[in-house]
Amino acid sequence: MILGHCCKDGSCLRVCPQNCISPTPGDPDFAAAEQLSIDPSACIGCSACVDACPVAAIKPEAALTDTERVYARQTGGSRDELPGARRTGRPEIPIALDAGRGPLRIAVVGAGTAAMYTVRELLQRSSVVRVTVFERGARAGGLLRTAVAPDHRGIGQLTRLFDVPFAESRVESRFGTRVGVDVTIEALRDRFDAVILAFGATTPRTVAGAAMPDVHQAIDLVAAANAVARDGGIPAVTVTGPVVAIAGGGNVALDVVANIAQRRIVDRSGAPIARVVVLARSPVSRPSFTFSALHELRQLDVDITVDTGGARLGATSAPLDQLLTELARPDRRSRRSGLPVEVVFGRTVTGVRPGAGCLCVETERTGSGDAGAGAMVAEVDATADSVVLASGFTCEPVPGVPLGPDGAVSNREGRVVDIATGVPIAGLYVVGWAKRGGRGGLGENRRCAAQTVDMIAADLAAVPSSR
């Protein structure tokens, strides 16, 4: 059984002798699927996938805990009943990097999860490649170490994936080096056969009026809460209660709620925060958080209610749809204990301004997602004592790197392109959130890295080496 913290890394796909795990990266449903599934009618119980999973997300059904059994119901059924059932064969053999060439020198900018998968991909495809990793921080890991709570299932296992590629003799890591400041992109392009931008999207999005007291970035709160979970002690960042509004409705927003419920984030008086309102831009028909994130939050001492924004629910049998339907029922009995959490869908936060003893959160209510979704139909204000911004990330500007209007590096399938002309910039590539925008889970970086390295292999094969 594959559990909800599956990262879709795909390692299990490569070792399954029965070809019974789906969907694969080549399937049209792969991007939309929250997790992979095992066809119980074809599985022979060999446990090869258990050993291969980097986040320990696969367990025998008999070993499931009560809170994990929901995933057995979620993914049960035959192959044809599974969403995105696997119908393709084994993954194709990747294109080699070193056919007919001498030593290859490749620079990787960044040392997060996308960089780790990229380095692995490069090493596996060439025996003559030499990789130099440039990282402005003091260690590898990126947001995986700072923005993901250590008590999230599987994170300890996933961080171990960095040990092998970054310790390889063909890899040199230069920590404390900021590309664009200490060394330019142009200098790297001159010195290396290819430069791969893997610096992620780490600049939080903001809203008008956000530069004021009691308005916080979610990434700062989560990082501070992670330090409490990892090292113990008193929370380093506190907010003003009793009401906290969170602008954004993805997994990071739910992480903030979880940390508040666990008292890793407290109000300035040291008393429990009395209420949290999550203002989600997405319609309830397409929530930005995953079933796993909401299911795990429900295991804490919280009382969650859902405002659908007028949209109907229950149209599908998808587990997340069914769970939201339950939480949105007007006659649902409150647990009458725990932190009250209201998730409001179809509400875009446009600004924050001072109010009478509080903060006034300016929002616009969007379409329900059924018809005409996306149109702003009304302005609605909310009040809170603190506001947490969890609306996603953009790339930090770097001289020599073109950023598109979405805040991601301008590219086509990993080749960085000039915005004005659309022409690829020779020797410059991108991977991860810098390539896709702040979308996709940790394991999706593996597929993303493979695509970018494919582009490098094709370009190198087309141009004879000058070295």
Side-chain angles (χ1 to χ4, degrees):
M1 186 57 55
I2 300 181
L3 303 178
H5 60 282
C6 165
C7 70
K8 299 200 304 185
D9 164 274
S11 296
C12 55
L13 297 170
R14 297 174 181 266
V15 301
C16 177
Q18 293 297 97
N19 198 30
C20 66
I21 302 176
S22 65
T24 67
D27 291 331
D29 295 329
F30 182 85
E34 288 187 9
Q35 65 187 80
L36 303 181
S37 300
I38 298 174
D39 179 359
S41 66
C43 176
I44 60 174
C46 69
S47 298
C49 58
V50 176
D51 296 332
C53 180
V55 293
I58 307 179
K59 292 177 66 174
E61 188 168 352
L64 298 179
T65 66
D66 290 341
T67 59
E68 293 169 343
R69 293 192 183 282
V70 65
Y71 298 108
R73 295 192 295 273
Q74 178 181 351
T75 59
S78 68
R79 171 189 292 267
D80 293 336
E81 295 170 338
L82 292 173
R86 189 176 187 187
R87 300 179 182 88
T88 59
R90 291 288 183 183
E92 294 182 1
I93 298 174
I95 306 170
L97 276 171
D98 56 345
R101 295 184 60 91
L104 293 172
R105 294 184 292 175
I106 296 181
V108 176
V109 181
T113 308
M116 180 270 294
Y117 279 116
T118 301
V119 172
R120 280 179 50 177
E121 195 75 25
L122 293 169
L123 296 177
Q124 289 168 359
R125 295 203 196 188
S126 172
S127 60
V128 298
V129 70
R130 297 295 183 269
V131 181
T132 303
V133 178
F134 296 87
E135 164 60 34
R136 66 181 180 180
R139 62 188 302 196
L143 292 178
L144 180 64
R145 294 193 185 275
T146 60
V148 181
D151 55 356
H152 268 307
R153 303 196 58 182
I155 292 304
Q157 287 86 348
L158 191 56
T159 55
R160 297 188 191 124
L161 290 181
F162 287 81
D163 297 340
V164 174
F166 280 78
E168 231 267 11
S169 61
R170 292 176 287 162
V171 178
E172 176 187 3
S173 298
R174 298 187 181 180
F175 296 108
T177 303
R178 187 165 183 172
V179 172
V181 177
D182 303 316
V183 59
T184 66
I185 290 292
E186 290 75 12
L188 294 182
R189 290 176 60 205
D190 287 341
R191 291 166 48 193
F192 292 90
D193 294 285
V195 177
I196 306 174
L197 306 175
F199 47 57
T202 58
T203 302
R205 297 183 186 276
T206 188
V207 299
M212 66 175 66
D214 299 321
V215 178
H216 309 269
Q217 284 290 349
I219 189 67
D220 298 330
L221 295 182
V222 171
N226 288 351
V228 173
R230 184 175 56 250
D231 306 323
I234 300 173
V237 179
T238 57
V239 299
T240 299
V243 179
V244 176
I246 301 177
N251 283 359
V252 172
L254 297 194
D255 270 349
V256 173
V257 177
N259 282 312
I260 290 174
Q262 294 168 311
R263 296 298 312 282
R264 295 171 183 167
I265 299 171
V266 299
D267 73 12
R268 289 182 179 168
S269 69
I273 293 167
R275 179 169 171 253
V276 177
V277 180
V278 178
L279 302 169
R281 177 177 56 187
S282 59
V284 70
S285 58
R286 296 190 303 276
S288 297
F289 53 75
T290 62
F291 171 82
S292 176
L294 184 60
H295 175 64
E296 290 178 9
L297 180 61
R298 289 192 76 201
Q299 309 311 307
L300 303 178
D301 191 18
V302 296
D303 181 19
I304 305 173
T305 57
V306 169
D307 180 343
T308 68
R312 290 176 296 177
L313 267 170
T316 74
S317 60
L320 181 54
D321 198 7
Q322 294 300 306
L323 179 53
L324 290 172
T325 299
E326 175 191 340
L327 296 176
R329 284 173 45 195
D331 60 342
R332 187 179 74 89
R333 291 185 60 186
S334 171
R335 290 167 56 179
R336 300 186 182 279
S337 66
L339 175 70
V341 178
E342 182 181 11
V343 182
V344 183
F345 286 96
R347 192 76 72 84
T348 300
V349 175
T350 58
V352 181
R353 55 183 170 82
C358 63
L359 294 177
C360 185
V361 185
E362 299 171 340
T363 71
E364 292 178 316
R365 189 179 290 277
T366 59
S368 66
D370 300 322
M376 299 297 186
V377 297
E379 293 186 1
V380 185
D381 285 348
T383 59
D385 299 285
S386 295
V387 176
V388 179
L389 303 180
S391 300
F393 302 89
T394 62
C395 292
E396 180 180 337
V398 175
V401 177
L403 297 184
D406 60 350
V409 175
S410 177
N411 77 95
R412 284 199 302 271
E413 297 183 326
R415 292 185 177 102
V416 177
V417 300
D418 183 272
I419 293 178
T421 65
V423 175
I425 299 175
L428 193 58
Y429 303 86
V430 64
V431 70
W433 273 8
K435 171 183 173 181
R436 310 188 304 269
R439 302 185 303 275
L442 298 171
E444 292 188 43
N445 287 310
R446 180 172 184 169
R447 179 177 61 140
C448 182
Q451 182 189 54
T452 294
V453 176
D454 280 343
M455 299 301 104
I456 297 173
D459 292 346
L460 291 175
V463 180
S465 175
S466 60
R467 292 178 166 76

